């Protein structure tokens, strides 16, 4: 009987832990990148955090199941786009995911960054950078991105960033 009580308590702790983890706010972002051989993609990301002032740096966590891990390891470059609170169209478009040879930008207006990566001018803004380090976490790789340039998007002055709160902190 004592084992059942411990199990019940453990399950309750896990639910509480998941609930609290889910309340850690994050933004919603689009990462654009290339494989260096002509293929490009975009990915929805939520685990992004500024991590330095001089030089400006951010961390970006990418699930280790994504092929983008290999691309970023080869090219060492990405563009990070900040989504606005009402940009559900971009959220839905990139949230579905893309296969490596699929055109992730079909039907979207894109510009090009200094290093040739796709830029979404309709996002609140974008930051372009070089990956200067990475660390493998249990189920994600965390990339340290040194920001080399950035610009405001067309909605920058008219919208707030999308703040994402999850109901459960142990999965997406």
């Amino acid at each position: 009987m004592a084992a059942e009580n411990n199990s019940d308590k453990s399950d309750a702790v896990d639910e509480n832990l998941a609930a609290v983890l889910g309340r850690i706010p994050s933004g919603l972002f689009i990462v654009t990148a290339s494989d260096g051989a002509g293929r490009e993609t975009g990915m929805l990301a939520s685990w992004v955090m500024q991590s330095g002032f001089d030089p400006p740096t951010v961390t970006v966590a990418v699930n280790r199941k994504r092929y983008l891990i290999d691309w970023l390891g080869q090219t060492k470059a990405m563009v990070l786009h900040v989504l606005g609170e009402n940009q559900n169209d971009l959220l839905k478009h990139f949230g579905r995911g893309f296969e490596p040879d699929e055109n992730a930008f079909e039907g979207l207006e894109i510009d090009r960054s200094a290093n040739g990566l796709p830029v979404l001018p309709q996002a609140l803004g974008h930051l372009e950078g070089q990956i200067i380090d990475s660390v493998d976490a249990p189920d994600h790789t965390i990339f340290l991105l040194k920001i080399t340039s950035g610009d405001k998007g067309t909605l920058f002055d008219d919208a707030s960033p999308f703040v994402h709160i999850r109901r459960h902190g142990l999965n997406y």
Side-chain angles (χ1 to χ4, degrees), residues 117-150:
L117 292 175
V119 170
L120 303 166
Q122 63 272 43
L124 284 188
H126 73 276
L127 301 168
E128 179 180 6
Q130 293 296 311
I131 296 167
I132 58 174
D133 208 350
S134 66
V135 63
D136 286 335
D139 54 6
H140 284 69
T141 296
I142 302 165
F143 293 96
L144 183 61
L145 185 70
K146 177 183 171 184
I147 305 302
T148 56
S149 66

Side-chain angles (χ1 to χ4, degrees), residues 29-32 45 48 58-60 78-82 125-129 145 147:
F29 307 86
I30 304 297
V31 170
T32 59
V48 173
V58 297
T59 58
V60 180
M78 75 170 79
V79 176
L80 181 66
H81 301 81
V82 180
H126 73 276
L127 301 168
E128 179 180 6
L145 185 70
I147 305 302

Side-chain angles (χ1 to χ4, degrees), residues 83-151:
L83 288 185
E85 61 190 350
N86 294 318
Q87 292 194 289
N88 292 322
D89 53 340
L90 288 175
L91 172 67
K92 288 178 186 174
H93 182 87
F94 288 99
R96 68 180 183 88
F98 299 94
E99 295 298 319
D101 292 319
E102 191 175 357
N103 181 359
F105 305 100
E106 186 173 344
L108 297 176
E109 176 186 350
I110 63 165
D111 292 334
R112 294 284 168 185
S113 68
N115 65 8
L117 292 175
V119 170
L120 303 166
Q122 63 272 43
L124 284 188
H126 73 276
L127 301 168
E128 179 180 6
Q130 293 296 311
I131 296 167
I132 58 174
D133 208 350
S134 66
V135 63
D136 286 335
D139 54 6
H140 284 69
T141 296
I142 302 165
F143 293 96
L144 183 61
L145 185 70
K146 177 183 171 184
I147 305 302
T148 56
S149 66
D151 202 0

Side-chain angles (χ1 to χ4, degrees), residues 22-30 43-50 59-61 80-85 91 124 160-166 172:
R23 293 297 188 255
I24 296 174
S26 64
L28 284 178
F29 307 86
I30 304 297
M43 179 195 88
L44 183 65
S46 62
W47 293 348
V48 173
M49 179 65 62
Q50 184 174 351
T59 58
V60 180
L80 181 66
H81 301 81
V82 180
L83 288 185
E85 61 190 350
L91 172 67
L124 284 188
S160 295
F162 198 125
V163 177
H164 180 54
I165 305 289
R166 295 171 293 143
Y172 296 119

